[in-house]
Amino acid sequence: MASGLSTLAQEAPDTLTNAPLKTSNVDSLSSVSDTIPPISQPVFSGSQSINWDEVNLSPDAPDDQIDYSSKDSMFFDLKNKHIHLYGEAKVVFQDVNMTADYILIDWDENTMMANGRKSPRGEWIGKPNFQQGGQDVKASRLKYNFKTYKGIIYDVQTIQEGMNVVGTKGKFFGAGDDTTKVNIIYNKDAIFSTCDLEEPHFGIRSKKQKIVQDKVAIVGPSNLEIGGIPTPLWLPFGFFPMKMGQRTGLIFPRDYEFSEAWGFGLRNVGWYFPMNDNWDFTFTSDIYLKGTFRIHGESRYKKRYKYNGSIGLDFAYQRSEIEGKPIFSPSVNIKWRHSQEQKAHPYRNFGGNINVQTSDYQRTNQTDSRSQFQSSISSNMSYRQKFDAPFDLSASFRHSQNTNTRKVSISFPTVSFQTQALYPFKRKLQVGGEKWYERVQVRYKSEARNQFEATDSTLFTKKTLEDAQYGVRHEMTTSTTFNFLKYFNVSPNATYKEVWYFRSVDKSFDPTPEIEFDTIYNEFDSTQFEVVPDTLNYGEVIDMENLGFKPFRQYTMGIRMDTKIFGTVLFKRGKLRGVRHVISPSFGFNFTPDYTNPDWGYFKSVRTDFRTDEEDLYNVFENNRLSGFEKPSSSGKQMNFSYSFGNQLEAKVYSKKEEKTKNIKLFRTLSVSGNYNFAADSLNWSVVRVSGNTSFFNNITTFRASLNYDPYERDPATGRRINKLLVKTQGKLLRLDSWSAAFTTNLTVGRIRDLIKGVNTDQRLANESEEDPLKQQDLLSLFENFRINHSFTVRQQYNTSLQKDTVIISANSISSTGNINLTPNWGIRVGNFGYDFQSKRVTYPDFTFTRDLHCWEMGLSWQPFYDTYSFYIRVNPGHLDFINIPYSKRIQDRSRRF
């Protein structure tokens, strides 16, 4: 090893045939900078420097400076005009950057040669690497002419746009400083692959190839090779795009399958369209030979610092058979997601998501547990405008859909206007303290809505448009709060609501009975018969819908008073160091008028039977079904005195391990509430409701309970309360009318471990830093992301047929979800696995097994409930991801097992 020294030949030429050579040599003992001096005696490197203005350069020398360095040593052979660089050698010329274990610079031929070497273990040491203009090439040895920008490469490997090209021998033609040219590599016996290894696990091998940097790779006759073994698949020629960025092109099918119901099919075959830098469109389809097809269109858009989103449309046309006859069923799924950047506009915001489907699209096309269990989907897309004044305006599209009942409700458009809290009596200049009336606030909000209701199969029909419900709702509230006797907060309030309906109903009675005549024949003589009339009804109620403006006005007034009572008991010894009880009593009074009074015009009466003069009361707004819009109440005048007592109970517990006390909530909430109606002619007292919740075992289990106590007796035949106070008939205040209790357990390995260690899980999750997800600390760590949920609900209710209280278990089920990383390459995803103890059956198991095969992936998705599965071995997503071996049985061929 040369310790920072460079040796020169005995005689140096008067004229050097290379450009200025700037060198550096880094050694383990010292760092020396070498410059070639025009002297005839050996010198230590770095001892002298050259005045390049006095040196005559060859006319064939490159115009730019060549920088070179090595970590081990250098040897200057002036006789042969060579420079030898040993150990992590590096040469930089223009945009050329070459590194290797050994580099030879020949300034007579203007060439560089690089070699690497292998360790006894067969590992490369200093494998040559060549970079120019974004081209990155690795080789076992190479030669490059920095005058002509041409080179020859052996055992070449280059990666462009995710495509790994490995060849035995290649020629490199560089563009140099000519901006009209690009770098080109001609390869011999090379393989194209998305596997990044020197010996790829698979690829397309051909004898001749041409690679145009950042544009295209062209191959001649080629053969698919897997594991070094040729396959029967041949291609006469091929083009592989190497262009950076978006580009239009064919999307090869990801799955090939055979279905007994639909025949042979291709999934996700289509085309990609990059519209511009801010917008693209993807069109794919699933096509089957027996006529079934699906169409998927998705467009993504994004404008930096403004907004981003996507729009998707899925259409399915599925074939099924009923009694041997084919039937085709269409279904649609529409999705739109839009998000506006927070800093895009200070006063305007538009965003949300839309997800609407017809004919139960999700369950009929997908088999995963989430799609099968999801009972409701919703949408909310809104525009909000704030103003400098204290009010804002919004317009929205809202949608809710129940996938079990298949009912759909769409509110569009919905326009809302509301003000912030206004203080009309507040003085502009405060003199002295604030007066109680200055805290009086007024709020106003209004909403205009158009609402459609239908089923998912009749959503886009004319009848849905004709049955649209629409109306306008106004609400004005005023309230204030002031302190009374220092410890009580008093809050008077008043509310005025006005709803504008545009449909109302009038009912009339037609006393004409509906009679049906039955003919009864004599069983002994068929010629004799008797006609007997049968009355089906005794008159008919006729509904007449009126279209026009019909307002409904409502007002309430009330006052509320609340306070807090604190109680604390402390102990000096023992584990229990104290108990704290907080009571929050609240009392109120509300008044609501009797809207059944004919003077309001909200309720009318109509006969239903000509045999009696009794009439039934009906609401003239009953044909309006706008959710959230009030209708007149038929409960009569309300003068309610209400009461409630909220309770919180905490214990202070001493921990010997931590040598400090900590607070534990015994009950998160425990409340008692009820009311008394002074205006009612009977049953003035309401049911007394008691409810509460708490948690156990480090928040693993949550307990909720509610109890209803009634001060009146019950009618055994109907189960209804009757106007007889228990205190008068039985000498007791209340009876337990009904109750319910629910236990919900959310179990994870982390919570179990924290429970044993006495650690608060929520605090640990908030404080812990990110760790390596593949790091396995113990066997339980495999199930770190695994979750087990158990739900148990029991309730008591009155059974009228048995005329006694019965206890019913309404829900008892257990389910598990999560991921299990067995190894860095093996994984199991449990979408759902559980058991319903009520129905005594397994609840839709859903399993997925995955195996990372470096540049390949293998997976199996299995849903035993429908006996559906999907198995695949395929290349990781990239240029060659159409190489796929699928085998599946999907939802169209399902057969329910349990």
Side-chain angles (χ1 to χ4, degrees), residues 490-515:
V490 180
S491 303
N493 62 83
T495 302
Y496 174 80
K497 298 179 182 179
E498 184 170 321
V499 181
W500 295 349
Y501 288 114
F502 298 89
R503 290 184 179 182
S504 60
V505 63
D506 281 329
K507 297 187 178 184
S508 60
F509 179 66
D510 181 5
T512 304
E514 184 179 354
I515 301 175

Side-chain angles (χ1 to χ4, degrees), residues 426-427 429-439:
K426 199 173 189 66
R427 293 173 292 176
L429 297 176
Q430 290 289 341
V431 179
E434 186 182 39
K435 305 298 182 180
W436 68 269
Y437 56 81
E438 291 187 79
R439 292 192 292 269

Side-chain angles (χ1 to χ4, degrees), residues 79-361:
K79 180 179 180 181
N80 296 313
K81 301 177 184 178
H82 291 170
I83 301 176
H84 303 269
L85 308 177
Y86 297 95
E88 298 185 17
K90 181 178 180 180
V91 176
V92 178
F93 169 67
Q94 293 181 353
D95 62 343
V96 174
N97 192 325
M98 181 186 295
T99 60
D101 180 66
Y102 166 75
I103 296 178
L104 170 64
I105 302 176
D106 187 336
W107 68 74
D108 187 31
E109 299 292 337
N110 293 322
T111 61
M112 295 183 294
M113 289 186 295
N115 286 307
R117 59 188 176 92
K118 287 189 175 183
S119 67
R121 296 182 179 181
E123 299 175 352
W124 277 103
I125 299 176
K127 188 174 184 179
N129 180 259
F130 178 86
Q131 297 178 356
Q132 182 183 24
Q135 186 87 40
D136 193 340
V137 178
K138 294 181 180 179
S140 61
R141 56 193 178 98
L142 60 85
K143 184 177 182 180
Y144 177 75
N145 189 305
F146 42 77
K147 189 69 176 178
T148 62
Y149 306 109
K150 297 179 181 180
I152 186 169
I153 314 167
Y154 299 90
D155 301 321
V156 59
Q157 180 184 15
T158 180
I159 298 178
Q160 293 190 28
E161 191 69 4
M163 184 71 75
N164 183 23
V165 183
V166 180
T168 56
K169 183 179 179 181
K171 292 182 179 181
F172 177 80
F173 294 84
D177 54 2
D178 190 346
T179 58
T180 62
K181 297 181 179 180
V182 294
N183 296 334
I184 299 176
I185 296 178
Y186 291 92
N187 260 326
K188 179 182 179 182
D189 191 18
I191 185 171
F192 273 78
S193 177
T194 54
C195 179
D196 58 0
L197 298 180
E198 295 181 7
E199 297 181 3
H201 291 137
F202 77 100
I204 297 178
R205 184 177 293 278
S206 61
K207 294 298 182 180
K208 295 181 180 181
Q209 298 175 336
K210 178 181 178 180
I211 304 172
V212 182
Q213 181 185 349
D214 297 337
K215 287 190 175 181
V216 68
I218 306 170
V219 301
S222 52
N223 172 236
L224 176 62
E225 186 178 285
I226 300 178
I229 302 175
T231 66
L233 181 60
W234 282 85
L235 298 173
F237 58 89
F239 295 88
F240 298 93
M242 296 291 185
K243 184 179 180 180
M244 304 291 288
Q246 295 179 325
R247 55 191 175 274
T248 185
L250 176 68
I251 299 176
F252 282 89
R254 291 280 288 174
D255 287 315
Y256 318 87
E257 65 175 342
F258 175 78
S259 166
E260 294 181 1
W262 296 348
F264 181 79
L266 301 176
R267 292 170 58 89
N268 293 328
V269 57
W271 201 268
Y272 174 74
F273 303 90
M275 301 302 183
N276 53 43
D277 293 338
N278 305 107
W279 176 36
D280 68 358
F281 178 73
T282 303
F283 174 83
T284 58
S285 61
D286 309 331
I287 305 172
Y288 297 85
L289 289 182
K290 291 187 178 181
T292 295
F293 65 89
R294 300 189 190 100
I295 297 174
H296 314 283
E298 182 183 12
S299 179
R300 300 176 302 172
Y301 56 89
K302 181 176 182 179
K303 191 171 184 179
R304 185 176 296 181
Y305 310 124
K306 293 293 184 180
Y307 53 80
N308 65 83
S310 62
I311 301 176
L313 174 63
D314 301 313
F315 175 78
Y317 193 69
Q318 296 175 313
R319 179 185 185 274
S320 60
E321 289 188 3
I322 298 180
E323 298 180 354
K325 295 181 179 180
I327 297 177
F328 292 90
S329 303
S331 58
V332 178
N333 188 18
I334 302 172
K335 292 183 178 182
W336 181 20
R337 179 190 60 82
H338 182 87
S339 177
Q340 179 178 310
E341 298 290 340
Q342 293 183 354
K343 298 181 180 180
H345 199 282
Y347 300 111
R348 288 196 297 268
N349 181 271
F350 176 71
N353 67 85
I354 293 177
N355 183 10
V356 181
Q357 64 179 16
T358 67
S359 302
D360 207 9
Y361 179 92

Side-chain angles (χ1 to χ4, degrees), residues 733-782:
L733 291 176
L734 303 168
R735 64 174 175 84
L736 181 61
D737 183 65
S738 63
W739 59 268
S740 66
F743 293 87
T744 304
T745 301
N746 187 351
L747 192 64
T748 62
V749 171
R751 289 188 179 274
I752 296 176
R753 187 186 290 113
D754 293 342
L755 178 64
I756 297 173
K757 295 180 179 180
V759 178
N760 186 286
T761 302
D762 297 331
Q763 293 180 357
R764 176 182 63 83
L765 294 176
N767 298 329
E768 70 179 5
S769 58
E770 295 184 0
E771 297 182 356
D772 183 2
L774 301 178
K775 182 180 179 181
Q776 304 294 342
Q777 298 177 353
D778 51 34
L779 180 61
L780 289 178
S781 298
L782 292 174

Side-chain angles (χ1 to χ4, degrees), residues 382-526:
S382 62
Y383 169 82
R384 300 181 185 275
Q385 173 71 60
K386 294 182 179 180
F387 301 91
D388 291 336
F391 55 83
D392 57 71
L393 179 71
S394 66
S396 65
F397 171 95
R398 289 187 176 90
H399 147 265
S400 62
Q401 186 169 353
N402 190 306
T403 57
N404 293 329
T405 62
R406 300 180 64 177
K407 292 184 177 180
V408 183
S409 177
I410 295 179
S411 299
F412 176 75
T414 299
V415 181
S416 301
F417 175 84
Q418 63 181 6
T419 66
Q420 301 174 8
L422 304 176
Y423 297 89
F425 306 111
K426 199 173 189 66
R427 293 173 292 176
K428 294 182 179 181
L429 297 176
Q430 290 289 341
V431 179
E434 186 182 39
K435 305 298 182 180
W436 68 269
Y437 56 81
E438 291 187 79
R439 292 192 292 269
V440 174
Q441 61 174 332
V442 178
R443 291 177 181 268
Y444 169 80
K445 60 181 179 181
S446 63
E447 178 183 344
R449 186 195 306 170
N450 184 53
Q451 183 172 305
F452 305 95
E453 291 188 351
T455 62
D456 63 358
S457 58
T458 61
L459 181 60
F460 299 104
T461 60
K462 183 180 180 181
K463 188 176 186 305
T464 301
L465 295 176
E466 294 174 348
D467 294 342
Q469 302 280 323
Y470 43 89
V472 182
R473 179 180 181 272
H474 306 269
E475 180 179 348
M476 180 176 288
T477 61
T478 178
S479 63
T480 187
T481 302
F482 58 87
N483 189 266
F484 178 69
L485 297 178
K486 189 178 180 180
Y487 298 106
F488 299 91
N489 294 320
V490 180
S491 303
N493 62 83
T495 302
Y496 174 80
K497 298 179 182 179
E498 184 170 321
V499 181
W500 295 349
Y501 288 114
F502 298 89
R503 290 184 179 182
S504 60
V505 63
D506 281 329
K507 297 187 178 184
S508 60
F509 179 66
D510 181 5
T512 304
E514 184 179 354
I515 301 175
E516 185 180 78
F517 294 92
D518 293 337
T519 302
I520 302 176
Y521 291 89
N522 191 312
E523 60 179 338
F524 302 104
D525 186 358
S526 60

Side-chain angles (χ1 to χ4, degrees), residues 358-370:
T358 67
S359 302
D360 207 9
Y361 179 92
Q362 187 168 276
R363 288 182 176 174
T364 56
N365 288 275
Q366 301 170 11
T367 58
D368 61 283
S369 58
R370 181 180 177 276

